[in-house]
Amino acid sequence: MIRLSDLALPLDHAPADLEAAVCDRLGIAPDQIDRLTVVRRGNDARRKTAIKLVYTLDLEVKDEAELLARFHDDQHVRTTPDTGYKFVTHAPENYDGPRPVVIGTGPCGLLAALVLAQMGFKPIIVERGKAVRERTKDTWGLWRRSVLDPESNVQYGEGGAGTFSDGKLYSRIKDPRHLGRKVLTEFVKAGAPDDILTEAHPHIGTFRLVTMVISMRETIEQLGGEYRFSTRVDDFEVEEDGDGTRRLTGLHLSNGEFLPASHVIMAVGHSARDTFQVLHDRGVFMEAKPFAIGVRIEHPQSWIDTARYGPNAGNKILGAAAYSIAHKASNGRTVYSFCMCPGGRVVAAASEEGRVVTNGMSQYSRAEFNANSGLVVDIDPEVDYPGDPLAGIAFQRKFEELAFKAGGSNYKAPGQKLGDFLADRPSTEFGEVIPSYQPGVHLTELKECLPDFVVDAIREALPVFGRQVPGYDHPDVVMTGVETRTSSPVRITRGKDFQSLNTRGLYPAGEGAGYAGGILSAAVDGIRVAEALALELAPNLASSEQ
């Protein structure tokens, strides 16, 4: 089979035009094509009046060898890669060895547990939050009634923080084994729309993520996996061998139980601050990691559609427009958009009492009135809090507490119109843009809850972004604070075997451990770590195909 990439057609092309374009591109007649399959479709909107759809296709053709030889020097005509997933090992029949434990049920923990279950290792999954249906009710409790449950919220519970997000399923990670395809395939089996397999920038949305997570849990349980919800890991039992090697031997759980465990995947997410503290106290190697802090910025989605697509705004094929922008400020800081959510809403994402955190969310339809994005500034541990691997947590907490106070100490978010922010004056009333954040936005000055260097960098960047995306710096645009959970502030260091550098049996994984950023990259990391753990348990059964 041949893979043909980068084939561009006009936005309004007819279905029959695709085969004709293939024939023209390859110089073959239609009867030479036995089968044509769309692998991926994206768009090129650099010229708003001439937007193109860009395809990657798999072709079954006659005289395949001759065609490949003729296009030997063309990087867009290649043999179709094998993207099928191959298990690295399987548990032997009647396996009675250690049961692996997965801490956390976000995308990393979920895929790690699924792959371990599919290999026959019957993992135990420990989740401090609740099952996703109950967790959703608790999350709405904050949004609608300003009642925060510190153990069941946007950050904690089945599905992880990604459940209340845009459900973006694309990543820039290197993926030579096509593990991302394994993730997407499992998501489709669990109820995700088929188009995530072909769209260049696939997404799912919160409502569909909820049902998917439930379906995948049921699969894991059918394969012998065991879930323990509302169960926090409060401590780690670590013993030292005669040669000084440190080994994990068990977990102390919040229900008072001691769970013997020698192979544990740490997939706790970026907000498990108490867990990071316990690991640090137990001497597990970790280091401070860069992240970013800023605000959520909201525009009417129609403004973004027009800015990006011009006369083609509203075209159903294109859907709601997104953007990705960045600016290096004169103070040395980079300002950039983060987790852009077309047709979505800004949500309350706090997990600790007395603190305000914002995030973005969209449904699959992306049909809500506003677009929102993080507008954030990079944080450098060596400059901003040197010497302490956990100092980034204190840094985040400081500004989350200031945001809580600036918002009225009732989980409302502090907000400010963009024009007032640039003019260095407090906002007193909304204009054309009405914010979506619940339980509400209290107008004030955002400089009260942001570092000075962040305020300076964003003020410099906004007019620049206005030139790149017309309307971006409209004075009525609303910004709400604060966005602090862009990524983990720590990295739990691991070796090539995916185990902690100084604690055998502990497998740091995913976004919380500092090895991923987003749903897809976290899920892929979960697979890789699960494979490494499985090979420790059953090394003699390793597949020759890896």
Side-chain angles (χ1 to χ4, degrees):
M1 192 178 298
I2 291 176
R3 177 155 292 181
L4 173 63
S5 60
D6 200 33
L7 184 69
L9 280 80
L11 176 61
D12 59 353
H13 75 81
D17 294 342
L18 188 58
E19 182 177 285
V22 170
C23 292
D24 182 64
R25 173 71 173 79
L26 298 178
I28 59 177
D31 61 4
Q32 288 183 263
I33 301 176
D34 295 327
R35 187 179 179 186
L36 182 156
T37 304
V38 175
V39 175
R40 181 159 298 178
R41 186 186 72 175
N43 69 69
D44 180 351
R46 286 174 293 181
R47 293 180 59 201
K48 299 181 182 67
T49 58
I51 295 175
K52 295 182 181 296
L53 297 179
V54 182
Y55 290 89
T56 297
L57 307 164
D58 277 347
L59 309 169
E60 293 180 11
V61 299
K62 297 178 175 64
D63 300 321
E64 179 180 309
E66 183 276 330
L67 196 63
L68 287 170
R70 181 151 51 94
F71 286 90
H72 179 267
D73 295 328
D74 191 331
Q75 64 177 341
H76 299 300
V77 183
R78 290 285 183 263
T79 301
T80 298
D82 180 4
T83 60
Y85 181 71
K86 299 171 181 63
F87 293 101
V88 296
T89 190
H90 285 279
E93 288 189 36
N94 302 317
Y95 172 76
D96 62 355
R99 290 181 71 181
V101 176
V102 178
I103 306 175
T105 58
C108 178
L110 187 60
L111 265 293
L114 178 65
V115 169
L116 286 169
Q118 290 172 336
M119 288 189 284
F121 290 102
K122 300 180 180 179
I124 298 171
I125 303 98
V126 179
E127 168 59 57
R128 69 187 298 168
K130 298 178 183 178
V132 70
R133 294 287 188 202
E134 298 173 76
R135 173 198 182 195
T136 300
K137 294 177 184 177
D138 293 333
T139 299
W140 280 98
L142 174 59
W143 296 350
R144 291 175 173 169
R145 303 189 308 277
S146 299
V147 177
L148 173 67
D149 184 338
E151 294 296 334
S152 182
N153 46 60
V154 165
Q155 308 296 346
Y156 300 148
E158 186 179 20
T163 303
F164 299 97
S165 71
D166 189 40
K168 298 177 186 68
L169 298 176
Y170 48 92
S171 173
R172 295 184 178 91
I173 61 170
K174 295 181 180 180
D175 188 18
R177 293 179 52 213
H178 306 286
L179 297 181
R181 187 72 177 183
K182 165 71 169 172
V183 175
L184 297 181
T185 300
E186 293 294 348
F187 283 177
V188 170
K189 288 180 184 177
D194 290 344
D195 64 16
I196 69 170
L197 296 173
T198 55
E199 288 299 309
H201 293 93
H203 73 284
I204 298 176
T206 291
F207 288 163
R208 295 198 179 206
L209 277 165
V210 167
T211 56
M212 279 171 42
V213 166
I214 293 172
S215 176
M216 296 178 76
R217 182 215 312 161
E218 291 171 347
T219 298
I220 291 168
E221 289 176 332
Q222 289 166 4
L223 293 170
E226 175 189 340
Y227 274 76
R228 300 190 184 187
F229 289 112
S230 299
T231 304
R232 186 181 59 250
V233 176
D234 283 344
D235 207 348
F236 298 79
E237 194 73 23
V238 178
E239 297 182 358
E240 196 169 300
D241 292 348
D243 62 0
T245 301
R246 289 161 44 95
R247 296 185 184 277
L248 184 66
T249 59
L251 307 173
H252 294 275
L253 306 180
S254 57
N255 60 8
E257 178 187 356
F258 176 73
L259 178 64
S262 59
H263 295 75
V264 175
I265 294 178
M266 279 286 303
V268 294
H270 58 41
S271 294
R273 294 164 167 174
D274 48 3
T275 305
F276 298 151
Q277 182 67 59
V278 170
L279 287 169
H280 184 258
D281 292 344
R282 292 291 161 266
V284 174
F285 284 166
M286 60 180 64
E287 60 189 15
K289 185 182 94 24
F291 63 102
I293 184 173
V295 297
R296 277 271 150 185
I297 186 166
E298 286 190 86
H299 305 78
Q301 182 61 48
S302 60
W303 294 9
I304 303 300
D305 291 344
T306 300
R308 305 305 282 177
Y309 297 148
N312 291 294
N315 187 295
K316 291 183 179 180
I317 294 175
L318 296 174
Y323 59 81
S324 178
I325 46 182
H327 171 70
K328 185 65 174 289
S330 56
N331 65 2
R333 305 284 180 160
T334 299
V335 187
Y336 60 97
S337 58
F338 169 79
C339 185
M340 196 271 157
C341 296
R345 65 175 61 182
V346 179
V347 298
S351 57
E352 296 177 330
E353 294 178 342
R355 299 186 173 102
V356 161
V357 181
T358 61
N359 194 12
M361 185 182 85
S362 295
Q363 300 300 345
Y364 177 70
S365 63
R366 289 178 166 173
E368 296 190 56
F369 188 72
N370 283 357
N372 76 81
S373 170
L375 182 62
V376 297
V377 177
D378 63 306
I379 301 297
D380 183 348
E382 294 185 4
V383 173
D384 297 314
Y385 44 86
D388 181 353
L390 298 182
I393 295 173
F395 187 92
Q396 290 174 325
R397 281 174 166 160
K398 172 184 176 180
F399 293 101
E400 292 169 12
E401 290 170 4
L402 289 172
F404 182 76
K405 294 176 183 176
S409 299
N410 54 9
Y411 295 106
K412 287 186 177 181
Q416 190 172 15
K417 292 193 299 184
L418 186 149
D420 294 330
F421 179 79
L422 290 178
D424 195 17
R425 61 177 178 244
S427 292
T428 57
E429 61 181 359
F430 297 113
E432 289 188 54
V433 183
I434 303 301
S436 58
Y437 177 96
Q438 293 297 329
V441 173
H442 173 70
L443 287 173
T444 181
E445 293 187 89
L446 288 172
K447 68 179 183 180
E448 295 180 5
C449 53
L450 290 170
D452 290 343
F453 67 82
V454 170
V455 173
D456 293 342
I458 292 178
R459 281 179 175 158
E460 179 182 320
L462 284 170
V464 176
F465 294 156
R467 293 191 290 271
Q468 297 173 356
V469 182
Y472 193 90
D473 60 344
H474 189 287
D476 282 352
V477 165
V478 174
M479 300 185 295
T480 51
V482 289
E483 173 95 25
T484 54
R485 312 286 180 93
T486 51
S487 66
S488 179
V490 303
R491 177 173 289 111
I492 306 172
T493 48
R494 69 189 188 192
K496 292 182 179 180
D497 61 359
F498 294 92
Q499 297 186 61
S500 162
L501 288 178
N502 74 330
T503 307
R504 301 293 298 172
L506 182 66
Y507 292 78
E511 191 162 348
Y515 293 98
I519 293 174
L520 188 65
S521 62
V524 166
D525 198 58
I527 294 174
R528 297 169 67 214
V529 173
E531 290 176 339
L533 187 154
L535 288 170
E536 280 282 315
L537 294 176
N540 296 327
L541 299 178
S543 167
S544 60
E545 296 181 275
Q546 295 185 31

